[in-house]
Amino acid sequence: MSAYIIGNISVKDSGKWAEYCSQVPSTLVPFGGELVLRGTLTSVLSGQYSHGHSVVIRFPSNESVGQWYSSEEYQKLISLRTLAADVDLVSFNEGI
């Protein structure tokens, strides 16, 4: 069963954010991660939404999500991510 990471993002420093974004894809490969969407908000159709950007990443399993997030390669990027943006990052299993 696939698992997804959804990130809701408010960029603080666009240069640092671009640097972070350029480095993330290579950290996904060893864990079967696939960048599904990296997008900019166009409209809020219902409710409240305070972030301007979102990302969706698909992994083969919830286990692979945890392995990716705790990997040395990704952990090295977290300080850059923190400088670049405020990020709410959550994981979901596929299905209802």
Side-chain angles (χ1 to χ4, degrees):
M1 179 182 301
S2 294
Y4 294 83
I5 288 182
I6 299 174
N8 296 306
I9 303 141
S10 294
V11 176
K12 299 185 287 190
D13 183 317
S14 58
K16 285 182 173 53
W17 182 246
E19 182 182 349
Y20 168 81
C21 288
S22 72
Q23 295 180 51
V24 170
S26 65
T27 70
L28 302 172
V29 174
F31 307 98
E34 173 192 0
L35 186 60
V36 175
L37 166 80
R38 185 182 286 153
T40 303
L41 178 68
T42 57
S43 64
V44 177
L45 302 176
S46 177
Q48 304 279 326
Y49 193 79
S50 62
H51 300 285
H53 302 268
S54 289
V55 65
V56 177
I57 305 168
R58 179 177 32 240
F59 285 89
S61 67
N62 201 38
E63 245 180 28
S64 57
V65 168
Q67 291 168 344
W68 165 75
Y69 189 81
S70 63
S71 71
E72 183 178 338
E73 294 79 12
Y74 185 69
Q75 288 294 307
K76 288 178 186 176
L77 296 179
I78 290 177
S79 60
L80 177 59
R81 183 189 77 195
T82 302
L83 292 172
D86 292 324
V87 179
D88 295 327
L89 202 60
V90 295
S91 176
F92 291 90
N93 286 325
E94 186 173 39
I96 294 180

